[in-house]
Amino acid sequence: MKNRHLKVVLPLLSGIGLAVFAAFNVMASVDSISASQFSQFCAANSTTCKKVDFSGATSGSVACPSNGQEVKNVYVHAGDGQTVYKLPEQGFDYAINGSSALVTEEGFPHDISWVAVDCKNSETASPTPSPTAIATPTPTPTPTPTPTPQATATPTPTPTPQGNSGSITVCKVIVDSNGNVTDGSSTPGVTFSISGLKPVFNSGEGPGGVLPNTTFTTPLSLNAKVLPNSSGNDAKCVKYSNLATGDYFYSQETISSGSGWQTPKYNDQFNSTIQGLSNFSPYDNGNFINGSSNNKDSDGLIILQNERPNRTLVILNTMNVSATPTPTPTPTPTPTPTPTPEVVSNNQSQSQTQNNNQTVNVTVQGSVLGASTPTKQPDTGVSVLGLASVFSAAPFGLFLAKFGRGKAVYKKKEELGEYASGLFNKRNKGLDNL
């Protein structure tokens, strides 16, 4: 009887020991690999392993990839190079609720990068063989090892994770200095270029490929809508399909005409979706300097994952005030000044000496059309009014009438001067009768 029990119990114990040893070796290999190797391990065992990216977060929850499974192990990566932590680990708090696990950062110096769970089927949770297997004696001294859960947990066929099923869409949005969407037709012929870069480091997903060079030229042919508050299409987009999952890097944008444009801004929507112009940020090149960036939305890196195979990068360009061309002013002809008519004045000055030895200067003003008498006579000397009357319009007009009656208009200057001198002498002697 004793020997009979030994024949049954020993094979059973040996089988259990081999199964535990095999499972320990499998997980030990997982515990010792790097972050990138773990990503490849999880992709190769996608029916039992699930990894979710939580870059910049302090907590994250991950569920098993299939129904009828429960969490067996929990792993976390928190920005510490290629080190992967299997929980429990100091600095993290975690809780397992059947088919899901919640991990919370508790004093760890870095934010959580990703969380992963290794699951097993609930039906095969216990490694103990069935009673029929124990009751049947086996002549073979070494029983066949029990397959690991990763090998047996294949309820339904699963597509290959590393397939060319991803896509990256590159979009261009242009706004004027007031934030209004425009196609850039006011500055035609300006080109905007952004190119793909070779992988500079491995984020854990592995190299995906290199994006082609994308070029936009104004005016844009708007074919997509990316701003929720705009009316109609507001962007020009180019889509690259059939991309493998992994890391894709993009450069800073170059503009053919640097003047008239503000610094370009980006959003590849890793953390935040686009709700308005405030969701765009300048290029963060920290990944290319020290391997870490502050802004995951504009750090030049797009990660295509099984959970997020389709991504969109939007570049925002803002026109300065000077970018709008100033209309050329229409020259206004200078008006030709109206010529001022020339006024010819006839000014004569006479000097007279009276008996009382007073000298009176008399100025006679007039035009070529007639003679005028000053409105106010000078207050100097005696009989000033009488003297003015001598050269007033009335005697002079009488003189012209007498001199010119029945005679030709043109006379010699000497005759006119002689008659005027005689008239003056008669008036000076008191002879009123001319």
Side-chain angles (χ1 to χ4, degrees):
M1 181 67 68
K2 184 176 181 181
N3 293 332
R4 182 180 179 183
H5 284 293
L6 290 175
K7 290 180 180 180
V8 175
V9 174
L10 286 177
L12 175 62
L13 294 177
S14 299
I16 295 173
L18 288 174
V20 172
F21 178 77
F24 176 80
N25 282 342
V26 170
M27 297 315 299
S29 64
V30 174
D31 297 343
S32 61
I33 62 178
S34 64
S36 58
Q37 292 172 330
F38 184 90
S39 298
Q40 298 173 2
F41 164 81
C42 198
N45 298 274
S46 60
T47 58
T48 57
C49 182
K50 180 71 173 293
K51 183 173 80 69
V52 178
D53 200 331
F54 293 100
S55 295
T58 57
S59 64
S61 177
V62 182
C64 292
S66 303
N67 295 328
Q69 293 180 335
E70 59 184 28
V71 176
K72 183 169 59 175
N73 296 304
V74 183
Y75 300 87
V76 63
H77 180 267
D80 196 7
Q82 291 287 319
T83 303
V84 179
Y85 296 101
K86 179 181 178 182
L87 303 184
E89 176 69 25
Q90 185 177 1
F92 300 97
D93 185 19
Y94 77 106
I96 298 176
N97 183 17
S99 61
S100 64
L102 173 65
V103 178
T104 304
E105 178 188 321
E106 294 291 342
F108 197 76
H110 303 292
D111 292 337
I112 295 175
S113 298
W114 53 258
V115 176
V117 293
D118 180 41
C119 301
K120 59 184 178 181
N121 291 335
S122 301
E123 295 80 4
T124 59
S126 175
T128 304
S130 61
T132 56
I134 299 174
T136 304
T138 303
T140 303
T142 303
T144 302
T146 303
T148 60
Q150 291 82 356
T152 58
T154 53
T156 55
T158 303
T160 304
Q162 294 289 342
N164 296 333
S165 59
S167 69
I168 294 178
T169 302
V170 182
C171 296
K172 162 72 57 191
V173 174
I174 297 178
V175 296
D176 60 19
S177 58
N178 296 321
N180 301 315
V181 175
T182 176
D183 61 357
S185 56
S186 61
T187 55
V190 179
T191 58
F192 307 83
S193 299
I194 185 168
S195 61
L197 302 175
K198 293 182 179 180
V200 294
F201 66 92
N202 191 346
S203 70
E205 293 295 328
V210 179
L211 286 173
N213 184 61
T214 306
T215 301
F216 302 94
T217 304
T218 57
L220 302 179
S221 177
L222 305 179
N223 62 356
K225 176 179 173 63
V226 299
L227 299 174
N229 295 329
S230 65
S231 58
N233 292 339
D234 50 31
K236 169 70 175 179
C237 295
V238 178
K239 184 176 182 178
Y240 301 102
S241 303
N242 300 322
L243 301 181
T245 56
D247 300 337
Y248 292 82
F249 294 87
Y250 58 90
S251 68
Q252 298 188 54
E253 184 183 63
T254 58
I255 307 175
S256 61
S257 175
S259 60
W261 298 91
Q262 298 183 14
T263 301
K265 295 184 178 181
Y266 311 79
N267 190 344
D268 58 33
Q269 303 179 80
F270 181 80
N271 284 327
S272 63
T273 58
I274 296 175
Q275 300 298 325
L277 301 182
S278 60
N279 295 119
F280 292 88
S281 304
Y283 194 85
D284 184 348
N285 62 350
N287 282 332
F288 307 94
I289 298 176
N290 52 29
S292 177
S293 61
N294 295 323
N295 192 331
K296 303 295 184 183
D297 291 335
S298 60
D299 60 354
L301 171 61
I302 297 177
I303 304 174
L304 295 186
Q305 301 172 300
N306 293 329
E307 297 83 4
R308 299 180 66 185
N310 303 305
R311 300 286 300 279
T312 299
L313 166 65
V314 183
I315 305 101
L316 173 67
N317 294 98
T318 303
M319 304 170 63
N320 288 326
V321 177
S322 59
T324 303
T326 303
T328 303
T330 303
T332 303
T334 303
T336 303
T338 304
T340 303
E342 181 178 1
V343 178
V344 180
S345 298
N346 182 19
N347 296 328
Q348 294 182 354
S349 180
Q350 295 288 342
S351 177
Q352 179 182 6
T353 303
Q354 295 183 351
N355 295 329
N356 54 3
N357 296 325
Q358 291 184 345
T359 300
V360 179
N361 294 326
V362 180
T363 300
V364 179
Q365 295 181 343
S367 64
V368 294
L369 300 180
S372 62
T373 302
T375 58
K376 183 179 179 181
Q377 302 299 329
D379 295 334
T380 305
V382 180
S383 300
V384 175
L385 182 58
L387 290 176
S389 300
V390 174
F391 299 97
S392 64
F396 193 69
L398 180 61
F399 153 72
L400 290 178
K402 293 177 66 177
F403 187 79
R405 184 181 301 120
K407 299 180 182 293
V409 176
Y410 297 97
K411 296 295 181 179
K412 295 182 180 179
K413 293 183 180 180
E414 292 81 358
E415 295 176 356
L416 184 61
E418 181 181 355
Y419 189 86
S421 178
L423 179 63
F424 174 76
N425 292 330
K426 287 181 180 183
R427 179 60 56 89
N428 191 30
K429 294 178 180 181
L431 298 178
D432 295 332
N433 188 6
L434 297 179

